Amino acid sequence: MSARSGSARQYETSGQLRGHSGSPPIADSSETEAEGLIFYHMDLYGSKERFDIFPEEPSGQADRSRGNSRKEPALSSEKIQHSQEAGYDLEKEVAELAKMYGLDEDKEKELALLGGHLETVERRWPPAHTQKAGSQGSVYSASKSSSPVKDQSTKQQGLPGEASQDEDQSKAIAEDDAGSHMWSREGLSSGGMSDERSSQAVSEEEETADVFCSTCKTPIRAFDKLFGEHRDHEVAQLSNAVESEKEEIHKNMCKLEEQIAQIENFASHLEEIFITVEENFGRQEQNFEVHYNDAVQVLAQKYEEQLEALGEEKRRKLEALYGQLVSCGEHLDTCKELTDTTQELYLENDKANFMKAAVTMVDRLEEFLKKEVDLELSTLPEFEERIIDFSEVEQLMNSINTIPAPCAPVINPQAPNAATGTSLRVCWGLFSDDTVECYQLCYKPVSNERHGDEQAEHVLKVKETYCTITNLLPNTQYEFWVSALNASGISPPSERAVYVTAPSPPIIKSKKIRSCENAALVCWESRDINPVDSYMVELSKLTDEENDDTITESIVGIPNCEVLIHLQPIQSYRICVRALNLGGSSERSEPVLIHTTGTYFCLNEDTAHPLLAILDDGFTIACDELENLECDLPVYDNSFTRCIGILGSLIPFPGKHYWEVEAEEDTEYRIGVAFENTPRHGYLGANNSSWCMRHIITPSRHKYEFLHSGMTPDIRITIPPTRIGVLLDYENYRLSFFNADIAQHLYTFNSHFQHYVHPCFALETPGILQIRTGIAAPPWTALP
């Protein structure tokens, strides 16, 4: 678009004036003058004053006016009227074109559509007298094309269909200070248009493109889709095509950015490799120097040892040879002496003296000759060939080309949530560039016993710098250390680090859960021997009947194995508990359901009399016989011993609490509330720590007593209740009893409860009491 705009601006600044291709067709000069249209001719080489007939306007304003003229969807009524005054009869020309080319009815319909499109185009293009022309003497010519489409294109560009191709077509007189000039149109050859005219048509065709040809991959006009060469092509809205291309370009840009990031990362990695090569070279050079020095030192030591041994052998040889030489000299001296003495004896003339000396001389010679003279060498002059052991030197020389043993790794401290109840993820690092083939990970449990047996160590071979160890004990501390190995050896072990596994899931005591309309007390127990850091309770509010949609809330930092949770009335909750320590969180406990439709409590089996049985539902008590009170059944320290009763779990919630008890008419019972410390060897209602309603059957009637400290008011109840409602109101210090069958108030204790109380129940004859909890207090329980 920018190239086309620049081309258009170049034409304008060069002073060329050209009629716009969207201008109405120009008739002959006489017809033009008759209709009052004036055309200005401009000489390119004329004086500057000739330009004054066209008032100059700022380039920005001109551009805006041109832009507005292109974007204008329809022309004002005045411009339409001006076009009609100019004698531009569109329907007439369409009919003439159809007649000229012998088109059938279908073609006439197409030309009619073309006429409608031309009318729209005419309204979008400004009038001819507002446009600036091109070059001097620019000519307009019309030629009959070989096809109707080409002729229609010529018609759209403002060329008259019936004008002569080789004649001047029109003349206009301009009233201006510089005078009037004539301009004409010269005919073109029947083969096409001038280059300037063609370039202008192409430019304007591109500028007015409003659809995109997907086949040719180019913007086109809707007119070309209907009647042009793009008729059978697939097109799309130009705005959609622009958005699609922008999206495609954006994707490619994202890919390009990713590629740039990858190249930058690779370049950074190459820089690190350069540095690593330099460092490795320095280490290898130092390694060579150390190994060669060691080899030279070993060779020098071997040389000294061999030279010393060789000198010792030389000394022994020389000593042996010297001893032989001395012995030979002694024998030689004796031989010479004997020889000289014998010669002297031969010269003796006195026979008597000769004989005396000869006998002695013969004995001496015989004795001397009897001695054997050792004429064999005691040692050879050759030295023993010594084999020098170069194995140590060879080992040193061979180790020059091997890598050194790695440095000690550094084990990381335990990361959060890196443990489960039976597994641990241990990580470490090697802060050097030593070559490592594998790591040796060792671990053992941390023993808390000072003099206990040493725990066995476990060893694992690992390729990576991390390892997940399984089959561990929950909530247990383990000690880890690691070494690095390669062909040269093993590194020193790292510092030892202590890791701890996550705890086991707690166990919720469902029978000890208590709740009311706006709170719940949840209790659980830990399955681990070692203590945990804290607990976390997760609540899921059940929002539909299928219990699928849940909203989860968490209560964290609970130090003990129970928590009081505030809830919303008339809701259902699923509650789970997790145990937490340094290693992380345990798995969820088995969930329990809590309903805040009323007060829930359980029966405390530890307080039950031995003859009292709790049925499977947990809320029905029964007694079969009362004869054998001295039975062998187990008796707990907290059990009732005389009264065949039982306490419910404590109700630790302020406000109102309601429950009901169902009993047969012939069942004698006691129901009410009591403090935790109420005597277990007495009867309910006979002391100041319990309040109860008693039912007994006399020969004359059903008798009902409301006992506290052994006292009861005189009250007669005519209709025996089989469903008794009990309302405990902590805030108003009231304990009320009702006949729930007929909504009748029976009696109310007004007492200030210094502590939270337990529901209490007892049977005085064999029978059954069924307790109903989780019931909202009926409206008729509200006392005036």
Side-chain angles (χ1 to χ4, degrees):
M1 184 66 187
S2 60
R4 293 193 299 268
S5 301
S7 177
R9 287 195 298 268
Q10 183 177 1
Y11 285 140
E12 291 173 5
T13 55
S14 64
Q16 298 173 350
L17 183 63
R18 177 182 300 157
H20 197 284
S21 60
S23 303
I26 303 174
D28 54 21
S29 58
S30 60
E31 183 180 353
T32 300
E33 293 178 359
E35 294 295 333
L37 295 179
I38 300 175
F39 292 87
Y40 293 91
H41 174 73
M42 185 171 188
D43 188 0
L44 179 64
Y45 303 98
S47 61
K48 186 177 181 181
E49 288 76 14
R50 296 180 180 273
F51 288 91
D52 294 337
I53 61 174
F54 300 100
E56 295 183 358
E57 54 183 0
S59 59
Q61 183 178 356
D63 294 339
R64 286 193 299 269
S65 64
R66 286 191 297 272
N68 293 335
S69 65
R70 295 190 187 99
K71 298 178 181 179
E72 190 174 357
L75 211 56
S76 62
S77 58
E78 295 179 358
K79 294 180 179 181
I80 296 175
Q81 183 178 0
H82 175 74
S83 176
Q84 293 176 351
E85 292 176 355
Y88 182 74
D89 193 345
L90 186 61
E91 296 181 358
K92 181 179 179 181
E93 294 193 10
V94 170
E96 292 177 355
L97 284 173
K99 182 179 179 180
M100 179 183 299
Y101 293 100
L103 299 177
D104 55 8
E105 294 182 358
D106 295 336
K107 295 298 182 178
E108 290 180 2
K109 292 180 180 179
E110 293 182 3
L111 288 176
L113 293 175
L114 174 60
H117 182 70
L118 287 175
E119 183 178 358
T120 303
V121 173
E122 178 189 1
R123 292 179 179 178
R124 294 179 59 185
W125 285 344
H129 67 275
T130 61
Q131 305 297 322
K132 293 187 178 181
S135 61
Q136 176 210 8
S138 62
V139 292
Y140 283 67
S141 62
S143 62
K144 296 181 180 180
S145 62
S146 60
S147 66
V149 174
K150 187 173 181 181
D151 189 74
Q152 294 164 11
S153 176
T154 307
K155 183 71 176 181
Q156 180 186 358
Q157 296 176 6
L159 299 181
E162 298 179 357
S164 174
Q165 297 182 3
D166 299 323
E167 295 178 345
D168 291 340
Q169 299 270 327
S170 63
K171 294 181 180 180
I173 302 175
E175 297 179 1
D176 192 83
D177 295 341
S180 62
H181 298 275
M182 300 291 292
W183 72 308
S184 63
R185 295 192 303 177
E186 299 178 358
L188 296 174
S189 62
S190 60
M193 299 184 302
S194 66
D195 293 339
E196 294 181 358
R197 182 72 175 173
S198 176
S199 63
Q200 180 186 7
V202 171
S203 176
E204 291 177 353
E205 179 180 352
E206 293 178 354
E207 289 180 359
T208 58
D210 49 3
V211 294
F212 181 77
C213 179
S214 302
T215 305
C216 300
K217 303 296 182 182
T218 182
I220 63 172
R221 298 174 300 171
F223 172 78
D224 295 332
K225 167 61 180 172
L226 295 175
F227 307 105
E229 58 183 359
H230 304 278
R231 177 183 300 178
D232 299 329
H233 294 178
E234 183 180 356
V235 298
Q237 292 292 332
L238 190 59
S239 57
N240 296 339
V242 169
E243 292 298 327
S244 176
E245 289 298 323
K246 286 183 178 180
E247 183 178 357
E248 188 68 24
I249 292 174
H250 178 70
K251 292 181 181 178
N252 294 332
M253 289 296 295
C254 293
K255 293 180 181 178
L256 186 61
E257 291 176 357
E258 292 179 359
Q259 188 173 3
I260 291 173
Q262 292 177 357
I263 295 175
E264 290 178 349
N265 294 335
F266 181 71
S268 177
H269 181 64
L270 287 178
E271 294 178 359
E272 295 177 358
I273 295 299
F274 272 106
I275 298 174
T276 304
V277 169
E278 292 290 341
E279 293 177 352
N280 291 340
F281 170 76
R283 283 196 302 273
Q284 287 288 50
E285 184 181 14
Q286 184 179 4
N287 186 31
F288 287 164
E289 183 178 357
V290 171
H291 282 75
Y292 275 117
N293 289 339
D294 293 343
V296 170
Q297 185 177 359
V298 170
L299 286 174
Q301 184 178 357
K302 294 288 184 182
Y303 171 77
E304 293 293 338
E305 292 176 356
Q306 294 295 331
L307 188 61
E308 184 179 356
L310 189 63
E312 182 66 22
E313 185 179 0
K314 172 187 173 183
R315 185 184 62 79
R316 289 197 305 269
K317 287 181 178 294
L318 291 178
E319 287 179 354
L321 292 174
Y322 181 75
Q324 278 190 311
L325 183 61
V326 171
S327 178
C328 289
E330 291 177 353
H331 279 78
L332 185 60
D333 292 340
T334 303
C335 289
K336 286 182 178 181
E337 182 186 357
L338 290 174
T339 301
D340 292 342
T341 303
T342 302
Q343 288 179 355
E344 290 178 359
L345 183 60
Y346 270 104
L347 296 177
E348 181 66 38
N349 294 325
D350 188 358
K351 295 182 179 180
N353 292 333
F354 175 81
M355 288 301 296
K356 291 179 180 177
V359 173
T360 305
M361 188 65 183
V362 170
D363 294 336
R364 184 179 176 186
L365 286 173
E366 289 180 355
E367 183 179 1
F368 177 77
L369 292 175
K370 288 180 181 180
K371 296 181 179 179
E372 294 182 1
V373 180
D374 187 10
L375 298 178
E376 297 291 335
L377 292 175
S378 60
T379 182
L380 296 176
E382 291 82 7
F383 283 83
E384 178 185 356
E385 289 198 9
R386 299 181 178 276
I387 299 175
I388 302 176
D389 184 12
F390 289 102
S391 60
E392 186 176 358
V393 178
E394 290 177 357
Q395 183 177 1
L396 289 173
M397 297 298 292
N398 292 333
S399 65
I400 293 176
N401 296 327
T402 61
I403 55 177
C407 300
V410 178
I411 195 165
N412 300 339
Q414 184 172 1
N417 301 322
T420 65
T422 58
S423 66
L424 283 170
R425 181 180 174 87
V426 184
C427 300
W428 59 89
L430 188 68
F431 294 95
S432 66
D433 294 326
D434 297 334
T435 302
V436 177
E437 295 181 359
C438 65
Y439 295 92
Q440 179 176 288
L441 179 64
C442 305
Y443 68 96
K444 67 177 183 178
V446 176
S447 177
N448 295 327
E449 300 178 2
R450 296 183 178 179
H451 304 287
D453 297 336
E454 185 68 20
Q455 298 289 339
E457 295 182 2
H458 303 271
V459 180
L460 297 175
K461 292 293 183 66
V462 184
K463 288 288 186 180
E464 296 80 10
T465 57
Y466 60 89
C467 181
T468 300
I469 299 93
T470 57
N471 299 325
L472 302 178
L473 298 176
N475 198 26
T476 304
Q477 290 183 339
Y478 288 86
E479 194 175 28
F480 291 89
W481 64 96
V482 64
S483 302
L485 292 86
N486 61 15
S488 299
I490 185 171
S491 73
S494 65
E495 295 291 335
R496 301 199 175 194
V498 176
Y499 281 54
V500 60
T501 53
S504 301
I507 300 175
I508 298 180
K509 300 177 180 179
S510 57
K511 293 184 178 181
K512 292 188 177 182
I513 292 178
R514 287 149 284 175
S515 65
C516 63
E517 293 184 353
N518 52 15
L521 182 64
V522 183
C523 304
W524 60 87
E525 63 180 1
S526 175
R527 297 167 56 186
D528 299 317
I529 300 176
N530 299 324
V532 300
D533 296 341
S534 63
Y535 296 93
M536 177 176 62
V537 175
E538 295 180 348
L539 294 85
S540 300
K541 186 181 357 180
L542 307 181
T543 57
D544 59 357
E545 296 179 357
E546 291 79 9
N547 298 338
D548 290 335
D549 299 331
T550 59
I551 302 173
T552 302
E553 299 177 2
S554 299
I555 303 174
V556 298
I558 304 172
N560 303 319
C561 290
E562 66 175 27
V563 63
L564 181 63
I565 308 171
H566 295 282
L567 305 174
Q568 297 178 1
I570 315 177
Q571 295 290 340
S572 297
Y573 293 88
R574 179 184 289 113
I575 295 181
C576 301
V577 181
R578 294 178 185 263
L580 291 88
N581 63 4
L582 181 62
S585 169
S586 71
E587 298 295 330
R588 289 180 176 178
S589 66
E590 290 296 328
V592 294
L593 294 178
I594 291 180
H595 306 281
T596 56
T597 54
T599 300
Y600 284 86
F601 58 84
C602 300
L603 299 178
N604 190 350
E605 297 181 3
D606 296 339
T607 63
H609 189 275
L611 294 178
L612 195 66
I614 302 175
L615 301 187
D616 294 338
D617 61 358
F619 293 96
T620 303
I621 59 176
C623 180
D624 295 334
E625 58 179 351
L626 300 177
E627 297 176 357
N628 187 13
L629 295 179
E630 301 296 332
C631 58
D632 295 333
L633 296 174
V635 178
Y636 300 100
D637 296 336
N638 200 27
S639 300
F640 285 95
T641 57
R642 294 186 62 186
C643 178
I644 306 176
I646 187 173
L647 294 180
S649 53
L650 186 71
I651 302 179
F653 313 110
K656 296 180 180 181
H657 306 280
Y658 180 81
W659 62 92
E660 294 180 353
V661 179
E662 294 182 1
E664 299 294 336
E665 289 188 12
D666 57 350
T667 302
E668 296 182 357
Y669 55 82
R670 296 179 187 232
I671 58 175
V673 297
F675 287 138
E676 172 68 30
N677 60 355
T678 188
R680 304 296 193 263
H681 58 277
Y683 289 94
L684 295 174
N687 48 57
N688 61 358
S689 59
S690 59
W691 299 258
C692 70
M693 170 185 173
R694 181 189 183 193
H695 173 233
I696 58 176
I697 302 175
T698 64
S700 60
R701 64 185 178 90
H702 290 271
K703 184 178 180 181
Y704 293 91
E705 298 176 343
F706 296 92
L707 299 169
H708 177 63
S709 298
M711 301 178 63
T712 180
D714 186 11
I715 297 177
R716 291 181 178 271
I717 299 175
T718 58
I719 301 176
T722 58
R723 189 162 58 97
I724 303 98
V726 182
L727 177 65
L728 173 64
D729 189 351
Y730 279 120
E731 296 177 355
N732 296 315
Y733 314 112
R734 291 177 179 178
L735 176 64
S736 302
F737 297 89
F738 302 88
N739 184 344
D741 293 328
I742 60 175
Q744 179 187 12
H745 173 250
L746 301 178
Y747 183 76
T748 296
F749 288 101
N750 292 300
S751 177
H752 181 72
F753 301 107
Q754 298 177 353
H755 308 285
Y756 290 121
V757 296
H758 296 256
C760 58
F761 312 91
L763 287 169
E764 296 191 353
T765 59
I768 295 176
L769 290 180
Q770 186 174 3
I771 304 161
R772 297 179 59 196
T773 62
I775 304 172
W780 41 262
T781 59
L783 297 177

